[in-house]
Every structure is written in structure tokens, then in C-alpha cells.
């Protein structure tokens, strides 16, 4: 595993847990954790239970005893590491976003396609696909349970920037973060809509906004995390993105990604409306799928609160008895399961880098639309 | 209409509204409003739109041009007025509770039976039966939609006594109010359970509690409503009742009536669990019926939030288009509609005085059980 | 009252009810109901309790004994009637939308301004402003309770067109209806956002969509309402509108109006996010205002479910005791109360025709933006 | 760890996870898993990651290299194992219930008291205390945030016995299971009420019911789990318990434990009403604590939906960033953390065996009350 931030913790938990709850076709060994700061990475190794710590990812990628490279570094380094790993014949699990730029994503996708010819697998870490309620929703939609999809909405809302005095962290600077709410959480919304509908966004019209344009600079002297001084610096990424996309089928999907939804901690709402029913979901209540069935008797129709922890629900075979709630991290264990299953089966795990590239292009088209007075803009697929 | 308190207002609204939204078989004229205080009753007359005001209910009951007597006075006077009215050949609508004592209720029920022989109708005002979501629930249960009922819960929760300094109003004094939470709101819970299941409570075990036993006496000198002086007086009614009843079929139903449920303004929750499904309802969200269908595919089962304002739902033919919410008072208009329909059809409106008598006996059995160390106590039906 | 459709029923209920629950400064007499079909208007008169029926609105507008004209006809006739009434010195209550075109709305607003000079009042019927929870929200925002507004969302979702075989009713034909989801329900969303924030939309970017473009023609021969024959006709209005507006302050507000939200019967959701808190509302649960308070202790913050039926809440003085739910129609009674109060006080009721004109211009700008590839488009205010 | 059923899986997950997310003062090694069936326990060892498997718990308890014994066997064997382990100087974590009988529980508690003198710790596994929302609720109540507690309700509702044809599993036979809904889930409700209020139940009145009294016998020949033959056997435990308890302070707490609440998968609802506020919780939405604050401005009061995944909330320092939901199993990791912390600090973890004994006595008093016609019955504390 390359990287050791928050995502390093969740991925470690997943690598540690998946083999213990699922019957995996291959054994899992948590071999090496890699980071530039030797002391910090050793601390992470000891805490999270990796066998070795290392500071040079190139050496690790070159080792014969390593089969899978899990990349949880910031997006700017994804391309270099992933391409090297794929060329070295390692299966790659890469955290989202695939890359910070479309250009990098294109090279990565090409490398993944080439590696695939040699039986090397690559997977992009959109774990929300593996929240059981959402996997279940996808299955129901694919089975025609809500009929023909006619409208889609997705919104990802957080509130950690509501305070205008919150400091100018690295996530608010374009050169470091690449993108703001659009890339960070809007990317999840796009991926989910495409996952649930099985369709792709082909054109977009959108607006990007930086609600608070200057924030206190974080100074080392302040000594207190999250507290800046008097100096103000520019926020150079969006903190609100509102856009509408057209899917292959012609259906419209509306999107919102915001860090200013006061009181919404991690609200990812998706609703898919069809001719025969609808599904609705909110990540703040992640074990629940709301299902509306237009084929029920007219006087009995209503959104049903399906608690997705029952026998027959996706991934539940590994966990606790019916009615015992799962949390955020379980999607990561499901991701490990599906990756190991795919490697063993010689099949491609989903989503692959091509899907990641497409998602990246959708976000790029939103940026271009926003720069063109919100004009409809084609997603630039090959 | 005899009486002019809060119930006078809602009944007036219902008499005024029902003929305007439903196609009633008989015309409705709001003839006389009666009260002891000539000035106050005249003010109520003018405000609510009655043709005349009067101070002697006996004279009104004797008038030939009056067909229906609507009794909204305190419970202690129900028996005398209702019996006189029935004997004078007037149809009677009587607010709940039927009476303050079982003995009075028995005489009233006998009078109603006698009057019925002469084609005179009587009806007791349990309007929650006519909230469309609850009428719909009853219909679904009667149609076998949730299979055989196996367990029932009902709780009526308010919070207007939470403050220990709230004054000793007349409602907290047994000689004036007759009963506390048990009679006032517990009676609704009992009626609803019997209405929904079509069964009767036959035995009970219960507890009555007065949580705050002394409160500031309201003095006229204080001059400010709701603010008492230093003097404390005894609360002589219960403010919390918890009891369990056995229905005809042997099924257990649990009940709670409380004025100490902090934050619950008017929460009347009912849940009926059956072999094939369940219904759940909360008066704080009164247009919604939650319906669980165990015959749905296993992975799609959940409580469905049915908004009961659609075509085909009970009483909705009179109101607004689908999706437009109704409120508390609409049950009273439905009551007027059903009463007028019954009078025109020569049939008995529901609930009749016999049902009211039975409900009274259930409450009486709870009081007797509570006084006997919570021992199981038979409802004393004839 | 001119007109006798669904809005005629709700307005009649309001005129009948408001004087009975509020202490109005003027008496209300329900004088004349007007419609072109003599038989139908007489039936409406009898049903709803108007003193007279008439077929010529011009004669009625000319009568000396009429003080207020209430216009509930289709939008295409609003201008002619309202202008005539205002010129005749009658106070006017006009259902929304003000008119079907901006040009008509401009003339109406000019007429209202001229009449105002002579003490004649005009009011536009956006009754959702008078749902107590929304009035309360406006008051809280105006008092600074949620700090500075930073983002706004509004969506009005219905589902009555989900079935592709639903017939081509007059509401789906531009020459008859003027507009589709945008004008019918999107107009409510725009009005509410402006009402809650006290700000105006100045620029928009938007998309209009007709999801199902052909539907069965309703033929008289089919003889069954809502059932068409084999012949298909074009739907010539939008059934989905998605747009984003910029308010005076620079804040972005996102809007959705759809008739394709399967399972959403009358979902009007509004959320206003501020620096110190947020409010959220849903018309399907109309007695509840969700209030988030960022000034509460950090570990106790959450959206509070405020049941807006308590003492101190707007309009509640007229209704039932705390905790007794109100419904859709009560907003109309509040409208009557506020109109009569304003007439008596010699002040202008809100919203006036100028606000209606502005709202109309916002919708017009959305149409122009949609026609210009979603480009940002200025609202064409004077 | 002794035992390897469902609880073995969750405890293993906790022992594996806690040291990786929390900074524990002692290292954790997963040494030996013990079970009678050598093959099955070896499979569990391999799956869950224990170093060794063993079949004789007495040998394991005697080993010098073992510090903690974790007992996850059925209740009937708790006493023997726990007492042996405590006498051998091992710290003991024992799954609930403490024992199947009060007599056994008394001996265990005595053994724990004796061991405590020698610095040996014992802990009972009521993990719901460690769901962050409930720990937070306890902290708020203890800090006086809701004032003086005036009423308490707790209900644990499941629905796995709704089908009358569900087979007669060992859990429905008194000789094997000891108790039914009362002991299995009612015990949780009692523990939570005592935990939240800091008070003890001193007297009870209650009802026990077996709703379906005969069920198909599971035969080995049927060969299919959960499918019985034609033969019926008696259900010898309760499947519904309804009881009311009086706390030290005199406050009444009502309880329900049922396996017949159709559609309720794992609904553990608790509500504590106080003079200044209230808390409400439902295990089906376990990251949420509802908090009502009567000290807020009157028109702004409502139950606030506090998402308990924020900085400052209990146990959250170990997990993911704000807004990322936790699941059922996390309480077990918190339990491990608190146990290891207590061992290192030389303090007693909570709840201890004495609390378990008291809880057992409450359940015993309910059984005695039910057998005495629901008469009020004292909890038989020393």
C-alpha cells in the first residue's frame, strides 16, 4: 500500500477484515506500507498491522513478492505510481479520483488496457458502489424493477466550509488539490448515477462557484490546527458545483456538490425515477434503501424503507445476522473482496480505469461548461 | 350545539364545512348554540356563524325545529343532556368521553338503545377513526391485508405537564375532570385499537401514576393565566397510564397515555403487527400510513410511507387533488358527513353509545387493576 | 369570485372559514360567484355557499355592492379581469400565476400601481408563503437566526405524468396552459426562495425538458376521463425544469420542477443554508420546520424537527390547541385574513402584482436561457 | 476466546480491530480459540485469525501465557468457565446474559468480587452501551442536560417469529435457551435504561406471553435448516414480554421485548423524558441521537437529529472523519478498548458482574410477577 492518510486507515481496515468475513479465493498478506516520511510510515505500519514499512515506492513496486499495489496517495501521484506498478505486472487498486487531470487519466487508462492484455487487473476505488443498499438499488434497476428510468438526481452535501473563518487548507488550493467540491465529492455523484443507471453522461451544463473566496492562511506559527492568522489567501477551487448531465438514453440527471450545506455532514442523496417505480438513498442513513413500487395497489403505494441487512442482500453473507447495521468502512472490505475475487477469476474488477477516465472527462466537461457561461458541453470521449 | 369551548370551535368548523365539500343527503343548518353565559355564547354564535344563541339547553332540546343535538360540554353534563335530547327524539352527537362514570354511561347507552327503536340515532365523537390514514388502516386490516393480528401497541403522548411548575388547572382535579391522562387521551388509544382490529379489550393489567403530585394553585388574584402563586395543591388525577389489555382473540395490546413525554406534542402512535404485514401510524404525521407487506419479495420488504391523500383513499373524494395534506379538523367534517349519511339512511352511525360504554368500562378496569397492585382485571361487560 | 375550478373550492373554503377562526377587522360576505356556464356556476354556488351566481363577470365588477374580486380563472384571463376590477375600484386577489405572459403581467402590475394611488389593493395568491412553517422560517431568517445565507435549494416534485400513457390533457398544451412544470410549480419554488431570503433572482441558467413528447389524445368519444384513444398528439410544454439562479447578494439558488418524480405526490422541498444555521422544509410534512443551529454546543447540533403548531407560531392564534396539525387549505384562510387586514389597515398585502411580475420575468429568463443553450441570462427587470 | 458462534465472529473482529484504530495501552494478541468440535474450531481459527485452536477450555484457562478469557459460549456454561478463569487469575470478558439463572449469576458475581481483590477484572458484554449515540446520551443525561428524568420507555422489537410456521429452534426451548424474548433482548432494554439513567429498577409488574405456542419440530432428516416437518412441538419460552419497572428515584420505566413486531428487524428504541429535555434513540438508525431541548426558544424547540460521528463524540477519535457512519460491530471494538484501558489502569470496567447480577434479578422479578397475575414484585437485591 502506497500512502498512509485517512484512506490508508480505511484500506488497511479493509485488507485486514475482508479475509476474515468473506471466503476469499486467495490469501491476503499485508506486506508493505510505503510513505516518504520514514518515522510516520513506521508508526502507521505498527498501528495498522503491515509487515514492513518502506520509503521508496519504486523499490516496492519492483519486488517479486508483491502481487497487488494499493494506491492511497494524493491524486497528483496516482499516474506515476499506477503506471509503474502495472508495467511491473502488479494488480492495482487506485483510490479515486483516478488522476488530477484528464491527460494523466488517459495515460493511466491506456496503461491499464495494455496490462489487461497480460492478465494484470486494475480497479478504481469508488467504494460507495459497494454500500449494500446501493448495490441492491443497481440490481433492482438493472432487473427492470422501476421500469424505464425517466429522471435522476444526485447531490453530495457536506458543511465543513460553512464557517467563513475556516482556514485555507491545502484542499482549497488548486495546485495542491486539483479540484474542489466538484472533483472531491461531485465525482462520487457522477460515478453513482452511472453505476445505478448503467448509462454514461454525454453532455453537461454547469456552474462552479467559490462561495467564500478568501480565507485565513494557516501558519505554522499559529500552532493550532485549523486556526489561521490575520492574513487572508485566495481559495482557488470551487466549493459548490451545480450541473445537469444528459445520459446516453437522453434522460436528464441533475447534480449538486457542496461544502456549504449547513448541517449536512455527509449527505449523498440519489434518486432514480422510473416508469414503474423509484429508488432513493441517503448516505447519512446508509443501511436503508427507499423503494417505490408503482405496480403495487394504488392505495398502498409509498416509498418503502428497506433495511438492507437481510439475507439475500448484496455482501450480507459475510456479516452479522439480519438487522445489524453496517457502516461506512464496510464498502472498503467489499472492494477488497471483489478485487481478490476478480484476480482469482481472471476477470476485470469494476470500475476499471476506463470508467475512471470517463468520469474524469465528465468533470472536465463541467469545468469547461462553467467557463463558457454554462453552455451545454460535450463530454470529450474518444 | 350545546357548549362552546375548543370542541365547540372544531364542531362548528365541521358543521360549516361538511356540506360544502361532501354531497350530503340532507341540508345542514347551524341553528342554535347554547351556553350558560349569555354574553360569551353570543360572542361564540357571532364568531362561528350559528343562527341563534340560547342559554337554556332544555328549551332548545324541546324545540320542534331542531333535529340534531351536538354535545360539546364537559363530560359531567353529557348524560343529562344526551338523555333528554334522545327522549325528545333528537339525534345526538356527543363528544368523547361518553360520560365521567360508568354508571352514567350505562344509563346513556340504555337511552340510546331505547331511542334507536324509535329511529333516533346517537353517535360518540371519536374523530380519530375518521383520519383517512386510520380509516384506511382499518379497511386494510379488515380485508386481511396484514394477515392475522398478533400484537398491538398504542401510545398517546403529550408533554404539557413536563414543567413541575405548571399550574393546578381544573383538568388535574378529579372532581372536575373525572380522570387524567387515562380518560382524556388513553380513551382515544383504546378506541383506536378496538376500531382498527375490530376486537374488544376483555381484561387489563395497569399502572396509574401521578408524576408531579403537587402544583401551584391558580388564584384569581394572580391575574395571569397559567401562573400560580406560592400555594401548592394536590394533583388528584393520573398523568401517566401504562396498561396492557387482552383482546377477544387473545392478542395482547399495550397502551401508554402520558402528559410527560417531553417534546411530544400530540403523538398518538399505533402499530398493529400481523402474520402477513403491519401498519404503523403517528398522529404527528397524520396524512401518512406506514404499511409493511410480508408478501412482497424478501429483499424488497420495508415499511412503505403511504401518503393517504390519493384517489381511492377514504373521504378524499371531498377534498383537494392528490397530495394536498389534510389536518386535524378534517376528521370532524368526516364525522358530520357520516352522521348525516346515517340519519338519512336510517342506519346507526359509529361508534354508538354502546361502544362508548364499553370503552368506559375498559378505562374503569384499568383503574381497578391499578388499585389492586396491577392484577389482571376483567372488563365488566354485561 | 370569478371562476369555479379546484381553486374556486379552496378559495370558497377560505372565505367561509377565515372570519370564523380569526378576528377580522371587516365582515366578509360571500356575494357572487361567476362563471360562463350558468348551470355549473349555479351548482358551485349552492355547493360552496355563495349568495348569487352570475355569468357575466363584467357586470359583477361594475356592481357597487362588491368590494373585492377574487380571480380563480385560468391564467389567460387574469389580465383582462384584474385590470377591469382595479379600474372599477375593487380590491383584487388574483390566483397565481399573475398572467401567462410577461407582457400581460406588466400591464397588470401597472394597473395595480395606478389603483394603489387610489387606495385600491391587489394581492397575488402564492399561499405557500402562509403555511405557518414557512412563514416561521422567513421570520427566523429575517431575524438572522441562521446568519448570512450562503446557499439555497428548492425543488417541487410531483409524479402525475410518470405514466407515458397518461393522456394529453389541456395542461400539456402550450396554447391552453401557457407553460408546463416551470410555470405551474416552478413558479412556487421561485416565489418561496425570494420570500424566505428577502432577495430577488437576477440571473439564471436553465434547462427545460419534455420527457414524454407524445401522448394519447383525449377524445370525447372515448367517454372516459383520462383515457385516450390510439391517436398521439404532441406535448408542447416542459414537464421538467432544472435551473440555477443568482440572487441579489450573489448567492446561488438551485431549482427543480418536475412532474416525473415517481412517488413524490406534492414534494416541495426548500433548504436555506447560512453561516449560523439552516432551515429545511417539505410540503409533504407541512407542519414541520427543520432548523439547524450552528450556535448550539458542537456535540448537540442536529436538524431539529420543529412542529409549527405551538403558541407563538404564525397564524396559530386562530386554530386549535398546540400539536393539532393543519393542512394544505389553511394557507388560503391565512391569505384571506392578511388581505382583509391589509384592506382595513390601508396597507399593501403581500405579494403584490409587482412581485408577481418579477417572478414571471424569472420564469421568462429561464425559458430564454434554455433556448440559448443554457447560457446565463439576466432577468429582465425594469 | 471460548466459543465460536456469531458472537465469536463479532468478538474476533473487535479484538482484531481495536488495537488498529485506538491507541491501546497494552498490545493485543489473539492467542487461542476454544471449542468442543476440533474441526469446526480450527476452521474458525483460520477464518478469524487466532494463533491456536483448542478443544479443552480448562487447559487454556490454566495457561500462563493467557491474560484475558473472552467467553462467547451459550449462557448455560458462562458460570463454570468464568469462575474457573477468575480463579486462575485471568481477566474475564463475558457475553450477556451473565448466566441463565440468578443462582449462577450470584456465584459469578461473588467470584468476580473475590478476584477483584487480587486485581483481576471482569466485564459483562452489554455492547449497546458503547454505541456512540447511547454513550453520548448517557453523558448528556448525567450532565443534567435534560433536567430531572420523569419518564422512561424502552422497547426491543424483532420479527423473526412472525411466521407461525417458523420452526421450533433451540432458542424456543426453555431447557436450552433459559429464556425467550425477555432474557435475550429484554435484558438489553433493562441494561440500557439503567445505564442511561444511572438508576436501578427496584420493582416490576409484567406480562409474559407465548404468542405461537406450537411450532414444527426441526428434524435432522429434513436436512434443510429452518424447515421443519409435520410434527409440532411446544414453544416453552416467552416471545413477548411487556413490563413496567420502578426506578430508585420513583420514576416509571416501561419495557417491551418482542419477536413479533412485523417489519422491525432490530428496533431498540429508548426514550428518556426529563424536565428540561429528552433523548430518543433507535438502533435501526444507530448513528443518530434525537435530542430535545426545552431550554431553547419556545418556537424553535424540536427533536434534533444529532449525527453522532463528529469530533467530541464518544469513541470517535479512533474512527473516520466526521459524517462517516459506524455500524453494529463498532460497539465491540469500543468494548475491547475499554477493557484493555481498565486492565492497564487497574480500574474496573463497566458493566461488572454485579450489574449483570442485578439485571438478571430484574428479569427474574418480571417472571415472578407474570406468574403472580402481574402483581408488583420487588427485585430481589441483597
Amino acid at each position: 500500500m502506497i500512502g498512509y492518510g485517512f484512506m490508508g486507515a480505511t484500506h488497511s481496515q479493509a485488507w485486514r477484515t475482508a479475509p476474515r468475513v468473506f471466503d476469499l479465493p486467495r490469501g491476503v498478506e499485508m506486506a508493505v506500507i510505503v510513505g516518504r516520511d520514514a518515522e510516520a510510515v513506521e508508526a502507521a505500519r505498527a498501528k495498522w498491522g503491515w509487515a514492513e514499512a518502506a520509503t521508496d515506492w519504486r523499490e516496492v513496486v519492483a519486488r517479486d513478492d508483491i502481487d497487488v499495489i494499493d494506491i492511497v496517495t494524493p491524486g497528483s501521484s496516482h499516474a506515476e505510481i499506477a503506471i509503474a506498478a502495472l508495467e511491473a505486472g502488479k494488480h492495482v487498486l487506485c483510490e479515486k479520483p483516478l488522476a488530477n487531470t484528464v491527460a494523466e487519466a488517459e495515460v493511466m487508462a491506456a496503461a491499464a488496457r495494455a496490462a489487461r492484455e497480460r492478465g494484470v487487473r486494475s480497479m478504481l476505488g469508488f467504494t460507495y458502489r459497494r454500500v449494500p443498499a446501493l448495490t441492491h438499488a443497481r440490481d433492482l434497476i438493472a432487473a427492470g424493477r422501476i421500469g424505464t428510468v425517466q429522471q435522476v438526481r444526485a447531490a453530495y452535501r457536506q458543511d465543513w466550509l460553512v464557517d467563513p473563518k475556516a482556514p485555507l487548507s491545502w484542499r482549497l488550493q488548486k495546485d495542491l488539490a486539483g479540484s474542489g467540491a466538484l472533483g472531491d465529492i461531485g465525482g462520487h455523484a457522477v460515478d453513482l448515477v452511472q453505476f445505478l443507471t448503467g448509462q454514461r453522461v454525454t453532455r453537461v451544463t454547469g456552474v462552479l462557484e467559490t462561495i467564500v473566496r478568501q480565507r485565513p492562511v494557516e501558519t505554522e506559527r499559529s500552532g493550532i490546527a485549523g486556526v489561521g492568522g490575520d492574513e487572508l489567501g485566495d481559495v482557488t477551487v470551487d466549493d459548490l458545483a451545480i450541473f445537469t448531465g444528459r445520459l446516453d438514453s437522453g434522460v436528464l440527471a441533475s447534480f449538486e456538490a457542496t461544502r456549504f450545506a449547513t448541517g449536512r455532514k455527509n449527505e449523498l442523496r440519489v434518486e432514480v425515477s422510473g416508469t414503474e417505480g423509484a429508488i432513493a438513498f441517503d448516505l447519512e442513513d446508509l443501511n436503508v434503501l427507499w423503494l417505490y413500487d408503482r405496480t403495487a395497489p394504488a392505495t398502498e403505494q409509498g416509498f418503502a424503507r428497506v433495511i438492507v441487512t437481510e439475507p439475500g442482500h448484496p455482501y450480507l453473507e459475510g456479516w452479522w445476522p439480519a438487522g445489524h447495521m453496517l457502516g461506512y468502512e464496510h464498502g472498503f472490505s467489499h472492494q477488497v473482496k471483489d478485487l481478490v475475487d476478480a484476480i482469482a477469476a481472471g476477470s476485470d474488477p469494476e470500475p476499471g480505469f476506463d470508467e475512471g477516465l470517463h468520469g474524469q472527462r465528465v468533470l472536465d466537461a463541467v469545468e469547461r461548461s462553467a467557463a463558457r457561461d454554462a453552455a451545454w458541453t460535450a463530454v470529450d470521449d474518444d
Side-chain angles (χ1 to χ4, degrees), chain A:
Chain A
M1 187 172 74
I2 323 289
Y4 56 95
F6 154 43
M7 274 301 136
T10 57
H11 280 236
S12 297
Q13 172 78 351
W15 285 110
R16 191 190 309 123
T17 302
R20 302 305 182 193
V21 296
F22 295 106
D23 291 318
L24 298 187
R26 296 279 172 86
V28 168
E29 284 172 43
M30 294 172 67
V32 195
I33 182 171
V34 186
R36 273 176 299 197
D37 179 332
E39 203 171 327
V41 74
E42 169 54 26
R45 186 204 65 73
K47 181 79 179 288
W48 298 340
W50 294 83
E52 299 172 41
T55 55
D56 184 343
W57 62 263
R58 291 173 196 281
E59 283 179 17
V60 173
V61 163
R63 279 169 59 164
D64 282 346
D65 61 337
I66 301 285
D67 298 312
V68 177
I69 298 290
D70 182 3
I71 305 173
V72 294
T73 56
S76 57
S77 56
H78 285 184
E80 188 178 13
I81 301 173
I83 292 165
L86 290 168
E87 288 178 350
K90 313 302 185 198
H91 307 297
V92 170
L93 170 60
C94 181
E95 244 317 300
K96 50 86 28 187
L98 187 56
N100 276 4
T101 67
V102 168
E104 284 176 336
E106 284 171 346
V107 185
M108 292 173 77
R113 280 190 296 267
R116 184 174 180 278
E117 301 294 308
R118 306 189 308 272
V120 176
R121 309 294 160 191
S122 47
M123 184 186 203
L124 185 61
F126 277 116
T127 51
Y128 291 148
R129 292 180 171 213
R130 293 177 164 88
V131 170
L134 287 168
T135 312
H136 189 39
R138 193 269 318 262
D139 293 346
L140 290 169
I141 293 170
R145 196 69 185 78
I146 65 168
T148 303
V149 171
Q150 297 194 130
Q151 195 188 341
V152 185
R153 301 161 207 84
Y156 203 142
R157 297 172 183 142
Q158 299 180 336
D159 75 348
W160 56 279
L161 287 183
V162 163
D163 185 349
K165 291 176 193 152
L168 186 66
S169 78
W170 69 268
R171 279 175 170 277
L172 306 185
Q173 301 173 47
K174 193 173 182 68
D175 50 342
L176 299 175
S179 171
L182 177 66
D184 184 21
I185 55 178
H188 275 298
V190 169
D191 185 67
L192 267 188
V193 165
Q194 299 189 143
F195 170 67
L196 289 172
T197 61
Q199 299 184 35
R200 290 193 162 198
V201 176
T202 60
R203 306 181 72 223
V204 295
T205 164
V207 178
L208 295 178
E209 182 82 356
T210 303
I211 294 176
V212 172
R213 299 186 190 183
Q214 288 202 318
R215 290 181 176 275
V217 174
E218 285 184 303
T219 60
E220 285 189 50
R221 275 170 306 171
S222 83
I224 306 168
V227 175
D230 293 338
E231 194 188 343
L232 294 178
D234 289 344
V235 176
T236 47
V237 297
D238 62 284
D239 44 34
L240 167 62
I242 303 171
F243 54 105
T244 300
R246 198 172 288 281
L247 304 180
D248 303 325
S249 63
V251 163
L252 286 183
S254 55
F255 296 92
E256 179 190 351
T258 179
R259 292 162 168 174
F260 275 84
T262 315
R264 305 302 179 184
K265 299 309 172 189
N266 208 19
E267 183 186 72
L268 170 53
R269 278 185 191 263
V270 190
E271 185 161 331
V272 183
S273 305
T275 50
E276 301 302 326
I279 66 94
F281 173 83
D282 177 359
L283 189 63
E284 286 189 357
D285 195 10
L286 64 70
N287 291 280
V288 170
L289 179 68
W290 293 89
L291 176 63
Y292 189 91
D293 180 6
R294 273 193 78 230
T295 66
T299 59
E300 300 177 17
Q301 292 181 15
F303 273 93
R305 182 175 176 265
V306 181
I307 302 180
V308 186
T309 59
E310 300 299 295
H313 285 144
Y315 300 108
L316 265 291
E317 71 278 10
W319 299 105
W320 326 120
H324 290 82
M325 301 296 140
L326 302 185
Y328 160 74
E329 78 209 45
H330 293 79
F332 291 87
S333 291
H334 305 160
Q335 179 171 270
V336 163
K337 172 193 183 331
D338 288 342
L339 174 59
V340 176
D341 281 351
I343 289 171
S347 63
D348 288 316
E350 293 193 336
F353 284 12
D354 274 328
E355 273 191 82
L357 168 60
H358 175 72
Q360 211 84 345
R361 283 171 169 161
V362 172
L363 303 183
D364 179 69
V366 173
E367 293 198 344
R368 288 184 291 122
S369 170
R372 293 175 53 231
D373 203 32
W376 278 100
T377 300
V379 175
D380 192 18
D381 280 318
D382 292 324

